Amino acid sequence: MATNRFLIAGGVLSGAAALLHVVVIVGGPDWYRFFGAGEQMARMAEAGHWYPVVTTLGISAALAIWAAYAFSGAGLIPRLPLLRTGLVVISLVYLMRGLVLIPAVLINPQGIAGLNAFTWWSSLIVLGYGLAYATGTWLGWRAMAPDQAAKRPPLAA
């Protein structure tokens, strides 16, 4: 099976995002503010409330699982359950989150100029993640079929 560079890239990006979320917890309230979590999350973190930590760890765990699905689809790790379904869902979530930019521009009376930097950049970045997952899933669809998993050659060490 050929290497699926799109899914590998998607997995690396999701893994990096998962790690970044853990780093935000360690960085504390200023990091929550810088990365766009909002003032309320930053204030809760300042107060030592459990909610920002649990929420951020949950997001980090989801992103790590998504990375594993990308690596599984690329054939780098063993096949995960519902692989193709999972990759389609992950692609859609990333794409929908990225495309939130369109209604944000349309709803905002100032258009693009009225968007804050977090909405603009996070949407574009996540759209890139979604395109990597969707393209990789499309290109590797046949190779990821359940009956094809047994035909995969063992990975070289």
Side-chain angles (χ1 to χ4, degrees):
M1 179 173 95
T3 303
N4 190 323
R5 294 171 196 245
F6 288 99
L7 285 177
I8 293 170
V12 168
L13 291 169
S14 291
L19 183 59
L20 177 62
H21 279 77
V22 173
V23 171
V24 166
I25 294 169
V26 174
D30 289 337
W31 285 56
Y32 279 98
R33 283 184 188 95
F34 179 80
F35 285 102
E39 189 58 30
Q40 185 177 5
M41 286 285 277
R43 286 185 183 165
M44 284 191 285
E46 282 175 337
H49 198 278
W50 60 268
Y51 183 80
V53 172
V54 171
T55 301
T56 309
L57 282 175
I59 293 168
S60 180
L63 292 169
I65 291 167
W66 292 4
Y69 267 82
F71 294 142
S72 179
L76 298 180
I77 64 172
R79 182 181 176 79
L80 294 175
L82 299 171
L83 179 61
R84 295 195 313 180
T85 303
L87 287 171
V88 168
V89 169
I90 293 164
S91 299
L92 287 173
V93 169
Y94 273 140
L95 290 170
M96 288 188 313
R97 169 54 186 88
L99 291 173
V100 81
L101 192 60
I102 294 170
V105 169
L106 295 175
I107 291 170
N108 194 312
Q110 299 168 334
I112 291 175
L115 294 181
N116 64 38
F118 176 78
T119 301
W120 178 251
W121 286 110
S122 65
S123 296
L124 290 177
I125 289 167
V126 173
L127 186 59
Y129 285 34
L131 291 172
Y133 272 82
T135 303
T137 301
W138 175 266
L139 293 175
W141 189 258
R142 283 189 183 184
M144 290 185 278
D147 62 333
Q148 295 299 313
K151 297 178 184 175
R152 285 187 185 171
L155 297 174

